Amino acid sequence: DRVMMKFRGEFWYLVRRVGPGDKWHSATDNLRGTQDAYGTEPSELPLSDSEFSLKYSAYDWDKMLVSLGDMSEWVELPRSLVDTFDDIDCVNCAMDHVVTSRGYTS
């Protein structure tokens, strides 16, 4: 069973995590979920501090939630946008149809 949580009235599966601190995860697939799985997937909440990722590109999903561990900052990305990340070459790009902890962008 995958670790699942409820946030803002929706259920989400945990597919990637990095431990506390100021580093990003080791994956290099631009959030696409195409990289081979690594680390040990947790079996329940609360989570350990270990880093892991699943190969989730073939999963049936239409939205991705990226957040800080305490959920104080988060962004909800549509798959249609995530699937274009290999083609995007910008910094601080405007992203359409994105819901964030700071409001909705359309």
Side-chain angles (χ1 to χ4, degrees), residues 62-89:
D62 61 352
K63 292 185 288 186
M64 173 182 288
L65 180 67
V66 179
S67 72
L68 296 178
D70 65 1
M71 304 303 288
S72 62
E73 298 275 339
W74 53 269
V75 61
E76 186 179 294
L77 304 169
R79 184 171 192 164
S80 58
L81 177 64
V82 174
D83 284 347
T84 68
F85 281 179
D86 283 341
D87 302 324
I88 295 174
D89 182 23

Side-chain angles (χ1 to χ4, degrees), residues 32-44:
R32 308 258 326 256
T34 55
Q35 186 167 320
D36 287 340
Y38 60 86
T40 302
E41 179 184 3
S43 59
E44 61 186 33

